[in-house]
Amino acid sequence: MDVVEILDSEELNAAVKAVEILLEKHQLPRKSPTQKTFKEIVLGREFRARDALNVILSSEPAYPGFREVLSSGFVGWALFPDAQPVRHALMTHAVLDHMDDHDLSVGLIDHPLDLHRDMVSRYVLTGVDFLSDIYDPLGGYQAFARIFSLDSLSMHANSEDKSIKTVVRALLYLHHGADRYQQPEFDFAPSLNRATKILADIKKSLGAEAYRTQFVARSLLHDRWSSSKQTLALLYAASTIRVKRKSLLTVMLEGAFSYKSHKQYLDEWVGRGRFVAEHIFQKMENNDLYQTTIRLLDGVEARPFKAAALSPLEETRLTSQFRKRFRQKVN
């Protein structure tokens, strides 16, 4: 078989032309020549989260599958900023889901394989842009051979679960502290140090063993905090959004997030993240958290929300840390 002859054949050129005519006829969105490529956004030395978010939230049309895969990558980055293999695995699963959806839509699951159905699924619905911009740069068939199973992703999430939940709990305390910080000359400002003191008080009350079942040690909290500055607001915001009987954060940690099923929560998620930056981080003495989060969420509209209720024990400890400070009388 002469592959070069087949590639150059009139018959193949006619088939390619026919697919292009189909795409134009049905006005399926194509990749914009000014849009950054998937490789530029995702596969460089750093995940370009701001660029990914621009595409995910934009009202402009994107070629089929682009937002789906980018949103899975963005969620993976928000959960585990330094875990590139996890991020790539989530995106590869999103690629498989995208392609599988179109196999289903043309009936390839219920009918024997034929060229008509395969061509429509692969080159019209899945799309040439998707195949060239995402599927191939991500690794094609080799990426599927190396992909983590969702069980492996859950194991990674389980290893980080308590540190994430400790960060979220600390941010809940800071949310309550920010609510009480109305007059700078009288009130204590929210700070990580105050949150860790509340957790330390709770540890004394619960006992070290019971505390360890829910939270990580102070040093691990500080490690997670310092290594996840861009994503802290997003973690806390996700924990406050209900998706049926779970939080959006739990859905993400279980590897169950998909753009198709959860896109209606994205604006609320990032909007709440912006509110965390403005309401909590902006009041903290160190302005770095605020600036870092605002750079990521520039242009996003803040969506205020109330802090969840605390247990009586937590309320007592929080009051002791964020009580009003009285100005001394001047003689």
Side-chain angles (χ1 to χ4, degrees):
M1 180 188 299
D2 190 335
V3 176
V4 174
E5 182 180 340
I6 294 173
L7 288 171
D8 292 337
S9 67
E10 292 182 8
E11 294 85 355
L12 185 61
N13 287 332
V16 171
K17 184 65 176 177
V19 170
E20 291 174 346
I21 291 171
L22 270 176
L23 293 174
E24 188 171 342
K25 179 180 178 180
H26 293 280
Q27 297 183 328
L28 296 174
R30 301 299 305 273
K31 184 181 183 302
S32 168
T34 60
Q35 171 65 60
K36 287 186 173 69
T37 67
F38 175 78
K39 184 176 181 179
E40 289 173 318
I41 296 172
V42 168
L43 300 179
R45 294 181 62 183
E46 294 184 357
F47 181 78
R48 297 173 68 164
R50 179 64 223 180
D51 289 331
L53 197 59
N54 284 341
V55 175
I56 294 165
L57 300 180
S58 174
S59 59
E60 295 296 318
Y63 67 82
F66 197 26
R67 288 193 176 99
E68 287 82 344
V69 178
L70 281 182
S71 63
S72 289
F74 186 83
V75 165
W77 171 80
L79 293 175
F80 315 114
D82 298 324
Q84 186 187 67
V86 173
R87 186 165 63 245
H88 283 196
L90 288 171
M91 290 189 293
T92 306
H93 277 288
V95 168
L96 286 170
D97 289 341
H98 177 69
M99 298 176 75
D100 189 51
D101 283 347
H102 297 309
D103 280 352
L104 284 168
S105 67
V106 300
L108 277 176
I109 305 302
D110 301 320
H111 297 82
L113 176 68
D114 67 62
L115 197 54
H116 287 79
R117 295 181 195 277
D118 185 62
M119 286 184 67
V120 172
S121 174
R122 186 171 177 84
Y123 299 110
V124 178
L125 300 181
T126 295
V128 176
D129 289 329
F130 182 90
L131 294 171
S132 62
D133 194 44
I134 296 179
Y135 177 82
D136 185 58
L138 199 55
Y141 286 114
Q142 290 185 0
F144 300 147
R146 297 190 303 266
I147 189 174
F148 281 15
S149 69
L150 289 178
D151 288 341
S152 298
L153 294 174
S154 295
M155 288 174 62
H156 184 86
N158 287 340
S159 70
E160 296 287 335
D161 186 64
K162 280 198 292 184
S163 66
I164 289 174
K165 288 180 178 177
T166 307
V167 163
V168 165
R169 206 67 193 172
L171 284 164
L172 172 61
Y173 301 150
L174 296 187
H175 190 165
H176 280 278
D179 289 346
R180 301 173 191 214
Y181 185 64
Q182 302 298 325
Q183 302 178 68
E185 67 272 28
F186 293 115
D187 301 332
F188 285 126
S191 69
L192 178 59
N193 185 50
R194 297 199 188 287
T196 56
K197 285 180 179 179
I198 295 169
L199 287 166
D201 288 343
I202 292 170
K203 183 177 180 180
K204 289 178 183 177
S205 297
L206 294 178
E209 187 173 342
Y211 181 85
R212 280 196 297 270
T213 64
Q214 301 179 58
F215 306 112
V216 296
R218 177 173 180 162
S219 59
L220 293 176
L221 168 60
H222 277 272
D223 287 346
R224 177 75 201 204
W225 188 278
S226 60
S227 65
S228 307
K229 285 183 178 180
Q230 277 188 290
T231 69
L232 292 174
L234 292 175
L235 291 177
Y236 177 51
S239 76
T240 69
I241 296 172
R242 303 307 299 176
V243 180
K244 296 182 180 178
R245 296 183 179 182
K246 299 178 179 179
S247 71
L248 182 60
L249 178 61
T250 298
V251 170
M252 293 172 173
L253 286 168
E254 291 176 348
F257 173 88
S258 73
Y259 181 82
K260 180 179 178 181
S261 299
H262 303 104
K263 61 184 177 182
Q264 68 266 36
Y265 302 103
L266 291 175
D267 286 335
E268 185 69 23
W269 178 34
V270 297
R272 289 191 182 200
R274 175 79 187 215
F275 174 73
V276 171
E278 293 180 356
H279 182 61
I280 303 174
F281 295 166
Q282 196 169 18
K283 295 177 180 178
M284 299 174 72
E285 289 184 5
N286 187 340
N287 205 239
D288 184 42
L289 265 182
Y290 171 73
Q291 294 294 343
T292 298
T293 309
I294 290 298
R295 280 196 296 271
L296 173 66
L297 302 179
D298 182 39
V300 171
E301 182 181 352
R303 299 203 178 191
F305 63 97
K306 292 182 179 180
L310 301 174
S311 69
L313 172 61
E314 289 175 309
E315 182 61 42
T316 298
R317 297 298 185 265
L318 186 127
T319 299
S320 70
Q321 286 298 325
F322 290 101
R323 67 189 183 279
K324 282 184 178 290
R325 177 172 51 187
F326 294 98
R327 181 188 293 167
Q328 293 182 347
K329 292 182 179 179
V330 178
N331 295 327

